[in-house]
Amino acid sequence: MSVKQNIDIQRLPKHIAIIMDGNGRWAKQKGKIRTFGHQHGVAAVKDTVESCAELGIKVLTLYAFSTENWKRPQFEINALMQLLVQSISKETPTLMENNIRLITIGDTESLPSGVSKKLKKVISDTANNTRMTLVLALSYSSRWEITRAMKLIGEKIKKGELDPAKIDEKTIDNHLCTAGLPDPELLIRTSGENRISNYLLWQIAYAELYFTSKLWPDFRREDLYEALIDYQSRERRFGLTSEQLSPDHA
Ligand code: IPE
Ligand code: IPE
Ligand code: MG
């Protein structure tokens, strides 16, 4: 029996966020340079995107390049940007066939113009797709995003459009790059690192965290299914007691 059959389709998370990590180590294990690992990470992205869409996940957010990643060697940054352009062009038909909308979060203005041009095109081409939203976090970090939100809110207060006394959680939500998207219920990180690395700090307040030692280029749909089964085995209490959640068993 396939692992997939153990997934309860009625209790899927609406939004899965993934920190795709371990490309460099994967390449190193094979005696290759880091960029070889990035190239092989593309197959993992494709399999994950397709399997999420097939399952009925509504939003998938992939951490592709962080604000901090700009500090990597220029050669690696260039290779990652080139790979991004190539993959976007190559995979646009797959997005269309699978009715997937692509959007980005992050400081996309800091991306090379060739990359942002390609992105804008795919974003507009896929804008009316409805099956799943694929969010690419590019030049993204949560502190950058929260700082940006504070600036936007500050501007509105200054112009008299917003009363500081009326600021609530919804106001903050609405000024993040993820405005309008549900919070991720499940966050997956590959490569055995148990950290968040400046990813969706506000949005993952109540997400279930799942860490796997698999390196990203080896991650496939079966690994996603394992993560979902683990997620479904957990009791999400949101501060309540177990008895409050299922009074019958009190
Ligand atoms: C993740 O793999 C991809 C990016 C951060 C762009 P890494 O490149 O971080 O690989 P490791 O963690 O060094 O193995
Ligand atoms: C996080 O991975 C960013 C992405 C996956 C794009 P890193 O490899 O950059 O994170 P650290 O440095 O291990 O925290
Ligand atoms: Mg890493």
Side-chain angles (χ1 to χ4, degrees):
M1 194 169 87
S2 135
V3 192
K4 192 180 177 189
Q5 286 168 268
N6 295 328
I7 300 172
D8 179 353
I9 294 299
Q10 306 304 321
R11 292 196 304 121
L12 286 173
K14 280 201 247 348
H15 184 172
I16 300 177
I18 304 185
I19 303 176
M20 311 184 289
D21 197 18
N23 297 352
R25 278 163 282 168
W26 186 90
K28 202 171 171 189
Q29 281 177 4
K30 298 189 156 36
K32 306 277 192 189
I33 57 166
R34 297 177 53 80
T35 51
F36 182 75
H38 298 316
Q39 284 159 6
H40 283 265
V42 178
V45 173
K46 195 171 158 67
D47 204 44
T48 304
V49 170
E50 288 176 0
S51 51
C52 280
E54 280 168 24
L55 280 170
I57 304 296
K58 296 314 289 179
V59 186
L60 171 67
T61 302
L62 301 177
Y63 206 1
F65 193 83
S66 75
T67 307
E68 290 76 21
N69 290 151
W70 288 114
K71 292 183 218 140
R72 290 197 178 187
Q74 195 57 46
F75 170 78
E76 183 170 342
I77 296 175
N78 294 347
L80 278 165
M81 294 299 149
Q82 209 189 338
L83 195 60
L84 193 61
V85 173
Q86 279 171 6
S87 318
I88 295 166
S89 307
K90 192 161 166 260
E91 297 306 332
T92 306
T94 314
L95 296 177
M96 294 310 292
E97 277 158 31
N98 286 286
N99 194 12
I100 299 169
R101 170 174 83 123
L102 182 94
I103 61 169
T104 60
I105 55 171
D107 185 13
T108 38
E109 280 171 26
S110 64
L111 296 170
S113 62
V115 179
S116 48
K117 233 169 103 186
K118 271 261 150 46
L119 278 170
K120 274 195 192 122
K121 170 96 172 69
V122 190
I123 290 169
S124 88
D125 286 352
T126 62
N128 296 320
N129 292 349
T130 52
R131 190 186 190 187
M132 184 176 86
T133 298
L134 171 62
V135 187
L136 279 189
L138 282 172
S139 191
Y140 173 88
S141 75
S142 199
R143 288 186 172 184
W144 168 84
E145 177 189 41
I146 293 171
T147 307
R148 176 181 167 274
M150 294 305 128
K151 282 186 194 152
L152 295 172
I153 291 172
E155 299 274 349
K156 286 191 184 166
I157 294 172
K158 200 167 141 195
K159 285 193 211 147
E161 292 169 9
L162 183 67
D163 174 1
K166 297 232 167 78
I167 293 176
D168 57 13
E169 290 187 11
K170 202 75 217 143
T171 318
I172 315 266
D173 266 337
N174 289 340
H175 290 85
L176 296 174
C177 302
T178 51
L181 299 173
D183 285 339
E185 298 98 323
L186 172 63
L187 170 72
I188 299 172
R189 183 174 188 144
T190 58
S191 91
E193 306 295 357
N194 298 332
R195 57 175 170 261
I196 302 299
S197 301
N198 217 348
Y199 193 41
L200 304 170
L201 299 178
W202 172 275
Q203 297 89 335
I204 60 166
Y206 258 109
E208 295 298 326
L209 309 182
Y210 181 85
F211 298 103
T212 166
S213 59
K214 269 271 163 92
L215 301 174
W216 179 251
D218 287 331
F219 192 87
R220 287 297 178 275
R221 59 187 65 211
E222 291 73 26
D223 302 297
L224 176 80
Y225 300 155
E226 298 275 0
L228 283 166
I229 290 163
D230 192 281
Y231 164 81
Q232 293 185 334
S233 74
R234 302 183 191 187
E235 183 176 58
R236 305 188 71 210
R237 288 191 287 280
F238 301 98
L240 306 186
T241 66
S242 201
E243 291 72 20
Q244 282 175 298
L245 292 171
S246 48
D248 298 350
H249 300 113

